[in-house]
Amino acid sequence: FIIGSVINLFDRWMDRAPGIKFIYTSTKELFEAFAGDKRKFETPILANLFEPDVWVVGFLTDEEMGKFEMGQEHVAVYIPMSYSLSGHLYVLPRTRIKKIERIQAGDAMKYAVTGGVADLESESQKP
């Protein structure tokens, strides 16, 4: 209860601070997207960005781009960068993504941010 009250007080204080509000709320939303009640990175995908045979691991973040007048044939995809909390947002034709069914979102994120070093096979074998 006390920790929650302190966090709420800090949130309200940061919301009122000019200049800091934008950075704080953006960072907070990013962390909530990774691990919070508002998780957004739940659909791991492979995205074909550059060449026909080049695929990157990412996450489907928006399935309908009507707000940008691109319709349902385009989707928003977040591609995390290795060893970083940053990444890139791409709007791609739906035909250039493949949903990953056999790997959970957390494992896909671990694989992407470690540069493919994470051993997903042995992780899935653990009881």
Side-chain angles (χ1 to χ4, degrees), residues 84-126:
S84 175
L85 288 177
S86 62
H88 297 281
L89 177 69
Y90 293 94
V91 177
L92 298 172
R94 189 177 295 276
T95 57
R96 295 187 58 189
I97 69 162
K98 295 179 186 177
K99 289 185 180 178
I100 301 172
E101 303 292 337
R102 298 182 60 197
I103 300 173
Q104 294 181 351
D107 289 337
M109 182 63 79
K110 184 188 321 181
Y111 190 79
V113 299
T114 62
V117 175
D119 186 6
L120 299 182
E121 291 297 320
S122 65
E123 292 291 323
S124 63
Q125 303 289 328
K126 291 182 181 178

